[in-house]
PDB file of all heavy atoms in Angstrom:
ATOM      1  N   THR A  29      -1.201 -53.971  22.144  1.00  0.00           N
ATOM      2  CA  THR A  29      -0.470 -53.997  23.414  1.00  0.00           C
ATOM      3  C   THR A  29       0.640 -55.050  23.292  1.00  0.00           C
ATOM      4  O   THR A  29       0.523 -56.150  23.851  1.00  0.00           O
ATOM      5  CB  THR A  29      -1.437 -54.357  24.561  1.00  0.00           C
ATOM      6  OG1 THR A  29      -2.200 -55.513  24.142  1.00  0.00           O
ATOM      7  CG2 THR A  29      -2.389 -53.236  24.890  1.00  0.00           C
ATOM      8  N   ASN A  32       5.641 -58.109  25.765  1.00  0.00           N
ATOM      9  CA  ASN A  32       6.816 -58.918  25.400  1.00  0.00           C
ATOM     10  C   ASN A  32       6.586 -59.714  24.119  1.00  0.00           C
ATOM     11  O   ASN A  32       7.285 -60.696  23.859  1.00  0.00           O
ATOM     12  CB  ASN A  32       7.182 -59.877  26.525  1.00  0.00           C
ATOM     13  CG  ASN A  32       7.792 -59.172  27.715  1.00  0.00           C
ATOM     14  OD1 ASN A  32       7.563 -59.569  28.848  1.00  0.00           O
ATOM     15  ND2 ASN A  32       8.567 -58.114  27.478  1.00  0.00           N
ATOM     16  N   GLY A  34       4.247 -61.790  23.322  1.00  0.00           N
ATOM     17  CA  GLY A  34       3.740 -63.151  23.508  1.00  0.00           C
ATOM     18  C   GLY A  34       2.652 -63.506  22.496  1.00  0.00           C
ATOM     19  O   GLY A  34       2.754 -64.521  21.802  1.00  0.00           O
ATOM     20  N   HIS A  35       1.624 -62.668  22.415  1.00  0.00           N
ATOM     21  CA  HIS A  35       0.545 -62.945  21.458  1.00  0.00           C
ATOM     22  C   HIS A  35       1.042 -62.763  20.022  1.00  0.00           C
ATOM     23  O   HIS A  35       0.720 -63.551  19.135  1.00  0.00           O
ATOM     24  CB  HIS A  35      -0.667 -62.025  21.717  1.00  0.00           C
ATOM     25  CG  HIS A  35      -1.407 -62.364  22.973  1.00  0.00           C
ATOM     26  ND1 HIS A  35      -1.333 -61.596  24.115  1.00  0.00           N
ATOM     27  CD2 HIS A  35      -2.233 -63.396  23.273  1.00  0.00           C
ATOM     28  CE1 HIS A  35      -2.085 -62.149  25.054  1.00  0.00           C
ATOM     29  NE2 HIS A  35      -2.639 -63.244  24.568  1.00  0.00           N
ATOM     30  N   GLU A  53       3.202 -50.122  21.534  1.00  0.00           N
ATOM     31  CA  GLU A  53       3.680 -50.268  22.912  1.00  0.00           C
ATOM     32  C   GLU A  53       4.196 -48.916  23.395  1.00  0.00           C
ATOM     33  O   GLU A  53       5.025 -48.294  22.753  1.00  0.00           O
ATOM     34  CB  GLU A  53       4.788 -51.331  22.983  1.00  0.00           C
ATOM     35  CG  GLU A  53       5.354 -51.562  24.374  1.00  0.00           C
ATOM     36  CD  GLU A  53       4.320 -51.835  25.448  1.00  0.00           C
ATOM     37  OE1 GLU A  53       3.616 -52.842  25.387  1.00  0.00           O
ATOM     38  OE2 GLU A  53       4.180 -50.995  26.380  1.00  0.00           O
ATOM     39  N   ASN A  81       0.522 -44.500  21.668  1.00  0.00           N
ATOM     40  CA  ASN A  81      -0.688 -44.991  22.310  1.00  0.00           C
ATOM     41  C   ASN A  81      -1.592 -45.638  21.259  1.00  0.00           C
ATOM     42  O   ASN A  81      -1.766 -45.086  20.169  1.00  0.00           O
ATOM     43  CB  ASN A  81      -1.406 -43.791  22.939  1.00  0.00           C
ATOM     44  CG  ASN A  81      -2.462 -44.218  23.924  1.00  0.00           C
ATOM     45  OD1 ASN A  81      -3.330 -45.036  23.620  1.00  0.00           O
ATOM     46  ND2 ASN A  81      -2.392 -43.661  25.114  1.00  0.00           N
ATOM     47  N   PHE A  82      -2.189 -46.761  21.599  1.00  0.00           N
ATOM     48  CA  PHE A  82      -3.060 -47.421  20.612  1.00  0.00           C
ATOM     49  C   PHE A  82      -4.295 -46.594  20.264  1.00  0.00           C
ATOM     50  O   PHE A  82      -4.994 -46.872  19.306  1.00  0.00           O
ATOM     51  CB  PHE A  82      -3.432 -48.842  21.031  1.00  0.00           C
ATOM     52  CG  PHE A  82      -4.166 -48.995  22.345  1.00  0.00           C
ATOM     53  CD1 PHE A  82      -5.378 -48.378  22.573  1.00  0.00           C
ATOM     54  CD2 PHE A  82      -3.650 -49.813  23.349  1.00  0.00           C
ATOM     55  CE1 PHE A  82      -6.064 -48.537  23.768  1.00  0.00           C
ATOM     56  CE2 PHE A  82      -4.315 -49.983  24.556  1.00  0.00           C
ATOM     57  CZ  PHE A  82      -5.532 -49.342  24.762  1.00  0.00           C
ATOM     58  N   ASP A 101      -4.665 -56.538  24.669  1.00  0.00           N
ATOM     59  CA  ASP A 101      -4.588 -57.268  25.944  1.00  0.00           C
ATOM     60  C   ASP A 101      -4.258 -56.178  26.965  1.00  0.00           C
ATOM     61  O   ASP A 101      -3.099 -55.823  27.150  1.00  0.00           O
ATOM     62  CB  ASP A 101      -3.462 -58.313  25.795  1.00  0.00           C
ATOM     63  CG  ASP A 101      -3.115 -59.015  27.078  1.00  0.00           C
ATOM     64  OD1 ASP A 101      -3.941 -59.036  27.992  1.00  0.00           O
ATOM     65  OD2 ASP A 101      -1.990 -59.568  27.148  1.00  0.00           O
ATOM     66  N   GLY A 103      -4.059 -53.216  30.053  1.00  0.00           N
ATOM     67  CA  GLY A 103      -3.405 -53.106  31.357  1.00  0.00           C
ATOM     68  C   GLY A 103      -1.902 -53.225  31.291  1.00  0.00           C
ATOM     69  O   GLY A 103      -1.270 -52.760  30.353  1.00  0.00           O
ATOM     70  N   GLN A 108       5.795 -55.493  35.088  1.00  0.00           N
ATOM     71  CA  GLN A 108       5.718 -54.033  34.891  1.00  0.00           C
ATOM     72  C   GLN A 108       5.233 -53.357  36.189  1.00  0.00           C
ATOM     73  O   GLN A 108       5.697 -52.294  36.544  1.00  0.00           O
ATOM     74  CB  GLN A 108       4.735 -53.734  33.758  1.00  0.00           C
ATOM     75  CG  GLN A 108       4.943 -52.415  33.061  1.00  0.00           C
ATOM     76  CD  GLN A 108       4.039 -52.291  31.824  1.00  0.00           C
ATOM     77  OE1 GLN A 108       3.154 -53.123  31.609  1.00  0.00           O
ATOM     78  NE2 GLN A 108       4.242 -51.271  31.037  1.00  0.00           N
TER      79      GLN A 108
HETATM   80  C1  LIG B   1      -0.929 -56.995  29.401  1.00  0.00           C
HETATM   81  S1  LIG B   1       0.418 -56.303  28.589  1.00  0.00           S
HETATM   82  C2  LIG B   1       0.444 -57.113  27.036  1.00  0.00           C
HETATM   83  C3  LIG B   1       1.223 -58.364  27.020  1.00  0.00           C
HETATM   84  C4  LIG B   1       1.367 -59.001  25.656  1.00  0.00           C
HETATM   85  N1  LIG B   1       0.082 -59.388  25.118  1.00  0.00           N
HETATM   86  C5  LIG B   1       2.300 -60.198  25.706  1.00  0.00           C
HETATM   87  O1  LIG B   1       1.855 -61.319  25.465  1.00  0.00           O
HETATM   88  O2  LIG B   1       3.491 -60.024  26.007  1.00  0.00           O
HETATM   89  C6  LIG B   1      -0.135 -54.719  28.124  1.00  0.00           C
HETATM   90  C7  LIG B   1       0.946 -53.863  27.487  1.00  0.00           C
HETATM   91  O3  LIG B   1       0.302 -52.787  26.812  1.00  0.00           O
HETATM   92  C8  LIG B   1       0.970 -51.585  27.054  1.00  0.00           C
HETATM   93  N2  LIG B   1      -0.071 -50.558  26.961  1.00  0.00           N
HETATM   94  C9  LIG B   1      -1.079 -50.337  27.832  1.00  0.00           C
HETATM   95  N3  LIG B   1      -1.875 -49.349  27.387  1.00  0.00           N
HETATM   96  C10 LIG B   1      -1.364 -48.952  26.202  1.00  0.00           C
HETATM   97  C11 LIG B   1      -1.763 -47.974  25.250  1.00  0.00           C
HETATM   98  N4  LIG B   1      -2.835 -47.210  25.462  1.00  0.00           N
HETATM   99  N5  LIG B   1      -1.036 -47.835  24.114  1.00  0.00           N
HETATM  100  C12 LIG B   1       0.061 -48.623  23.903  1.00  0.00           C
HETATM  101  N6  LIG B   1       0.496 -49.560  24.784  1.00  0.00           N
HETATM  102  C13 LIG B   1      -0.215 -49.730  25.911  1.00  0.00           C
HETATM  103  C14 LIG B   1       1.593 -51.737  28.423  1.00  0.00           C
HETATM  104  O4  LIG B   1       2.750 -50.945  28.527  1.00  0.00           O
HETATM  105  C15 LIG B   1       1.898 -53.235  28.464  1.00  0.00           C
HETATM  106  O5  LIG B   1       3.213 -53.522  28.078  1.00  0.00           O
END
Side-chain angles (χ1 to χ4, degrees):
T29 48
N32 288 145
H35 289 106
E53 180 52 64
N81 195 308
F82 59 59
D101 172 21
Q108 204 172 9

